[in-house]
Each structure stands twice: as structure tokens, then as C-alpha cells.
Amino acid sequence: MSLLTVCACLASSGCASEPWVELHDQRFTVEVANDDAARAQGLMFRHDMAPGHGMLFIHEQEEPQAYWMKNTRIPLDILYFDDERRLVSAQLGVPACSLGNACPPYPSEGPARYVLELNAGVARDLGVKPGDELLFGPGLGPDTPTRVTE
């Protein structure tokens, strides 16, 4: 990290506190959704998501998951991970949906506990495949406070 980056981090006082995950040696700053309200809100009504960012959904237990794009305006890659944070399945290039409750579900192909949403195309560019490991930054886990911003 350069001196300029360190100074910018110190000035913003936010560098160390931003939760992050790594996939294929690529780090993503994530918003965490680990309660029912935050998971239901997800990325609804957002017009964009910055490159290198994503949303990590943490569920209480590993089980089949199905996500939908209700009121989501950003095309996404939806990645499903099991208890060991291994990729179970991926739904790539999922289109935005403005059909409300008529938006289709995008299910996992197996039980999952963690779901990572990234901008559409990122997972393809990384070459993700089943079994890939999702690494968590310090303090990131099931008990991480919910940090959803609008």
C-alpha cells in the first residue's frame, strides 16, 4: 500500500472497518445482509454498484436458497456458497427485473449459507467454478452487524 493510500485511509477512517471477501484473489468490499429485513431489501432500487463491491447475504443455516431480482435495477451474478464457503452454484448475468412479485426466482443447485451478489460479468471474468473458496476478511461471519446502505 502506498503512503498516499495509507494517508487517504487514515483521513477517511474507514479502511479497516470495511468488510471484504476474496474470490480468485480478487477482493470485494461488501455490504452485509444477515437478518431478514436486510436480506429482503438486498440491492433493491439501486441504480448501480461500484466496481469491486458486492453484497454478502449470510443465512442462519445452510439450506437451498432462491434469490429473485424484485425491484433490482442492476444485472447481477448470484453466487451460492455452503457452510465451508465453497461455491455450490452460480446464476450469472441475471437481468434486472421491474415485474415486482412476478420476477422469477434463481435457485441454488444445492444447500447454501452464504450468497454473494456481484455486478453481472464479474464471476465470468474471474472464471469461477463449483468448489471455489470464498475468503472472509477479519471479523466477517454470521455475527457481523448488518451494514446495508442506500
Side-chain angles (χ1 to χ4, degrees):
M1 194 176 327
S2 72
L3 181 58
L4 182 59
T5 304
V6 171
C7 290
C9 285
L10 292 174
S12 70
S13 70
C15 289
S17 65
E18 291 290 329
W20 55 267
V21 298
E22 281 186 7
L23 182 61
H24 277 254
D25 297 322
Q26 177 72 40
R27 186 171 288 189
F28 298 94
T29 300
V30 291
E31 294 179 50
V32 177
N34 65 353
D35 64 28
D36 290 339
R39 286 189 294 263
Q41 177 68 34
L43 290 169
M44 286 198 300
F45 305 109
R46 308 268 184 100
H47 293 282
D48 59 16
M49 183 165 53
H53 285 72
M55 179 168 275
L56 178 67
F57 297 82
I58 301 175
H59 294 271
E60 286 81 21
Q61 61 188 24
E62 182 183 81
E63 60 188 354
Q65 303 293 339
Y67 275 53
W68 63 343
M69 299 290 285
K70 178 181 177 181
N71 300 319
T72 303
R73 299 172 178 156
I74 310 165
L76 297 171
D77 291 338
I78 305 172
L79 308 175
Y80 298 94
F81 296 86
D82 63 15
D83 274 337
E84 285 77 39
R85 298 183 304 242
R86 297 286 181 181
L87 185 64
V88 173
S89 64
Q91 297 281 354
L92 304 182
V94 176
C97 186
S98 60
L99 301 175
N101 290 340
C103 293
Y106 295 89
S108 61
E109 294 177 11
R113 182 166 185 194
Y114 306 100
V115 180
L116 178 63
E117 291 183 342
L118 301 171
N119 285 311
V122 171
R124 180 198 65 235
D125 292 346
L126 290 174
V128 300
K129 60 190 177 314
D132 286 348
E133 184 178 12
L134 183 67
L135 302 174
F136 282 3
L140 189 57
D143 299 323
T144 300
T146 299
R147 295 189 54 195
V148 175
T149 58
E150 293 187 33

